Amino acid sequence: MSCGRIVMGIWNYIKNSGRFNAACYTLEWVGSLPGKRESRRMDTAYLLSQEDVLRHTDFADGGFYGGWYMDFHPAEGIGSDEDNCTQIPVNVYAVPLRCLYHADFPNLLFAGRNIGTRREAFVSTRVMNTCGLSGQAAAALAWGCLRWGKSPATLAPEEVERIRQTLLREDMFLPGLSNQDPEDLARDAAVTASSRYQPEEGPAAGWFSLEQGGFVACPCPDEPRGRFLVRADAPATLQAVWHCCPLPSRLCPGQPAGEQSWRLTAGENWLDALFPSQAQGQYGMLVFDPAPGVSLALAERRAPGILCGRADAPEYRDSLFLPGKNSFYAPENVVDGCSRVWRQPHLWCSAPEAAPWLELRWDTPRTFDTILLYLDPELSMEIPSSRTDHWEDHHKFAARKGMPPQLMRDVSVQALTENGWRTVACCTGNRRRLLELSAGEAVTATALRLVCEKTWGDERAHLFEVRVYRQHR
Ligand SMILES: Cc1cc2nc3c(=O)[nH]c(=O)nc-3n(C[C@H](O)[C@H](O)[C@H](O)COP(=O)(O)OP(=O)(O)OC[C@H]3O[C@@H](n4cnc5c(N)ncnc54)[C@H](O)[C@@H]3O)c2cc1C
């Protein structure tokens, strides 16, 4: 069937079925050269491969990331007898800036669908979210080329690194890269806070059935063990396989790393989880075999970065999993250079309290005018990148209702100047993940205190990173 006939058939349905209120619409334009998916390849300085997507190649010029399934459709199109769609889940992977240019065309950048990849990588990179990120990376690359008066292929490694640091500052995630920006004054501040959250033993706030299996994912604590509560209707054996990965997903738990099993008595059982040595410095994920009559206890509050769920359901729950000694939510995490969950939670989370605060303090006064806050809009929630109401169950992403409760809403910043403490910036009704606060003038201070007056629902403050700059001179 030709593409033209498919397009006209769909248009006929939209206009004439009476279901879309489109009877008075006209079709203005249809591409006359339908380029079938995967029928063109852009030949860039580097072609991203299947190996890069599945093995997470660590590129020195990684400029953005992907994470959608390798999502194959048959070459014959919708008339094919093959399955319409074969999806191989992948973890987050980096895409190098070299996929955005070719040395022979110094004034041309690629972005979106037409970046340089091999077919097996293209079927993952071509989704709208990844296309959007490639646009941000291309813009930063263009900025670098203009700044140093060079073509993309002739940029020096330190210039590429500067572009990557600029992307990081603008909240791009670059797997494994941390903030090294020498202009960020927060990096050499001592950090303290009003409190720090610690998951505590308590009664279950609910139960999550392991009848069809399930998982618990937790970053490996300093003391590589944890405790969790299960309930069994009758004596049973619970079995699980450990997996390790920098950031596991429900469909891609990472490398298998041994098994663990427990004998359960009828009723409630606190169990020890012993992280395997391979989990050190990354996530451990316990993937449970189906266990009829056994349920995992749920926590009253979310412990950021610790989740449970099932592979076939895109909804995560809050596991009552108590990690061993750890620094998961310590205040100093806000200057550890990483602004997302990756191997560790990398955030400060306060205890539940009124107006939690975090303080940066320097030995000598610093002059600044801008504060950047990298907040928590509940990054572990899976966001749909398509309308999939009629798709498979594991595709039915939950729609976000309202604002994420963890996100800071009303924030004020106070500075300790030679005249004492004074408020230098504030924001009410924030809806952004990256919140830029301007003091409106240069402020010289030895300490800076960020007060979370209100969130969109949580009684705790969540903050991944703080940066402090003097932007205007
Ligand atoms: C049928 C289908 C279903 C899809 N489903 C999903 C999905 O569910 N989820 C998902 O994330 N992705 C999906 N994708 C993939 C995704 O939508 C595309 O890969 C992505 O939108 C491409 O973005 P882009 O900006 O690179 O290109 P485009 O969105 O194609 O934008 C290119 C623009 O350039 C314009 N243009 C072209 N030539 C010129 C010119 N000479 N001068 C000026 N303008 C010009 C075009 O009109 C167009 O507006 C789907 C794609 C298709 C075709």
Side-chain angles (χ1 to χ4, degrees):
M1 199 186 312
S2 78
C3 285
R5 288 180 65 186
I6 296 170
V7 169
M8 290 306 161
I10 293 170
W11 171 243
N12 178 41
Y13 182 64
I14 293 171
K15 183 174 168 77
N16 299 321
S17 66
R19 298 188 57 191
F20 302 102
N21 199 22
C24 297
Y25 285 16
T26 55
L27 187 59
E28 275 191 9
W29 185 86
V30 177
S32 57
L33 285 176
K36 247 184 1 184
R37 177 177 159 167
E38 295 145 43
S39 63
R40 296 286 183 279
R41 175 181 297 163
M42 302 304 149
D43 187 12
T44 46
Y46 184 84
L47 292 178
L48 193 76
S49 70
Q50 170 174 351
E51 186 72 5
D52 298 328
V53 170
L54 294 178
R55 303 265 174 263
H56 316 120
T57 308
D58 186 13
F59 295 106
D61 66 334
F64 61 104
Y65 68 95
W68 187 251
Y69 307 75
M70 284 167 60
D71 189 342
F72 293 93
H73 297 253
E76 300 77 33
I78 62 174
S80 169
D81 293 335
E82 283 179 46
D83 269 355
N84 172 37
C85 181
T86 306
Q87 296 189 316
I88 301 171
V90 304
N91 286 112
V92 167
Y93 58 87
V95 186
L97 293 169
R98 276 167 296 157
C99 293
L100 308 185
Y101 62 83
H102 189 289
D104 291 349
F105 301 95
N107 61 345
L108 180 67
L109 291 181
F110 299 81
R113 194 182 181 83
N114 65 10
I115 63 171
T117 64
R118 297 187 185 281
R119 176 178 184 244
E120 295 76 12
F122 171 76
V123 295
S124 170
T125 60
R126 56 154 197 115
V127 287
M128 293 180 286
N129 293 345
T130 311
C131 285
L133 295 177
S134 73
Q136 187 183 347
L141 183 55
W143 166 83
C145 291
L146 286 171
R147 183 186 165 120
W148 293 294
K150 290 184 171 179
S151 64
T154 59
L155 289 169
E158 57 277 14
E159 290 160 347
V160 170
E161 198 51 29
R162 181 71 198 274
I163 291 170
R164 280 163 31 99
Q165 285 294 328
T166 303
L167 281 164
L168 211 57
R169 171 179 160 150
E170 298 305 323
D171 201 20
M172 176 66 79
F173 174 60
L174 297 172
L177 187 72
S178 62
N179 172 16
Q180 304 292 336
D181 187 349
E183 291 175 16
D184 173 13
L185 303 173
R187 288 178 59 219
D188 60 358
V191 189
T192 53
S194 54
S195 65
R196 164 185 166 182
Y197 181 62
Q198 197 66 264
E200 279 172 9
E201 192 171 321
W207 296 93
F208 181 78
S209 170
L210 293 177
E211 176 123 20
Q212 295 160 2
F215 65 80
V216 173
C218 178
C220 186
D222 301 337
E223 178 198 8
R225 57 198 308 144
R227 296 173 64 228
F228 63 105
L229 179 64
V230 299
R231 185 180 68 188
D233 292 346
T237 300
L238 179 63
Q239 285 189 302
V241 178
W242 278 101
H243 290 72
C244 306
C245 190
L247 185 68
S249 78
R250 63 189 166 89
L251 293 165
C252 234
Q255 295 295 322
E259 296 177 2
Q260 198 177 346
S261 65
W262 303 264
R263 289 291 309 157
L264 309 182
T265 56
E268 295 189 1
N269 300 248
W270 277 98
L271 305 178
D272 281 327
L274 307 174
F275 285 76
S277 56
Q278 301 96 307
Q280 204 179 3
Q282 47 183 350
Y283 255 89
M285 184 148 156
L286 268 175
V287 180
F288 297 102
D289 289 352
V294 179
S295 303
L296 269 179
L298 297 177
E300 188 192 343
R301 288 198 174 81
R302 169 150 301 179
I306 303 176
L307 298 164
C308 67
R310 276 207 334 256
D312 61 351
E315 193 193 353
Y316 297 104
R317 309 295 297 275
D318 303 322
S319 168
L320 185 54
F321 186 94
L322 307 177
K325 190 170 169 306
N326 66 82
S327 53
F328 287 171
Y329 311 126
E332 52 271 26
N333 291 346
V334 301
V335 291
D336 73 0
C338 191
S339 64
R340 286 166 201 242
V341 177
W342 180 257
R343 299 179 184 275
Q344 292 283 309
H346 292 293
L347 92 167
W348 165 59
C349 179
S350 74
E353 60 172 324
W357 54 261
L358 178 125
E359 190 174 294
L360 305 182
R361 199 169 273 269
W362 295 276
D363 297 340
T364 53
R366 298 289 195 279
T367 302
F368 56 87
D369 52 28
T370 304
I371 300 109
L372 300 184
L373 304 180
Y374 299 73
L375 304 173
D376 184 5
E378 177 46 311
L379 293 176
S380 57
M381 183 171 181
E382 290 187 26
I383 305 282
S385 66
S386 52
R387 292 196 61 188
T388 50
D389 300 356
H390 308 296
W391 201 241
E392 296 162 36
D393 273 351
H394 70 87
H395 248 280
K396 286 184 184 154
F397 303 100
R400 172 108 75 196
K401 295 190 183 78
M403 293 298 292
Q406 301 90 334
L407 190 68
M408 284 191 200
R409 176 177 166 163
D410 300 347
V411 185
S412 66
V413 179
Q414 299 157 6
L416 182 57
T417 66
E418 54 183 20
N419 299 321
W421 284 101
R422 69 179 176 96
T423 300
V424 293
C426 60
C427 168
T428 54
N430 171 54
R431 289 173 180 266
R432 291 171 181 266
R433 136 97 174 157
L434 172 52
L435 177 60
E436 179 170 334
L437 295 167
S438 170
E441 59 177 351
V443 176
T444 300
T446 48
L448 186 152
R449 186 177 276 204
L450 172 87
V451 184
C452 174
E453 316 275 4
K454 206 169 181 184
T455 69
W456 287 95
D458 205 312
E459 308 138 286
R460 301 166 298 173
H462 294 63
L463 179 64
F464 280 102
E465 188 171 8
V466 183
R467 295 189 184 208
V468 178
Y469 288 98
R470 177 150 195 202
Q471 291 205 140
H472 308 286
R473 286 174 200 271

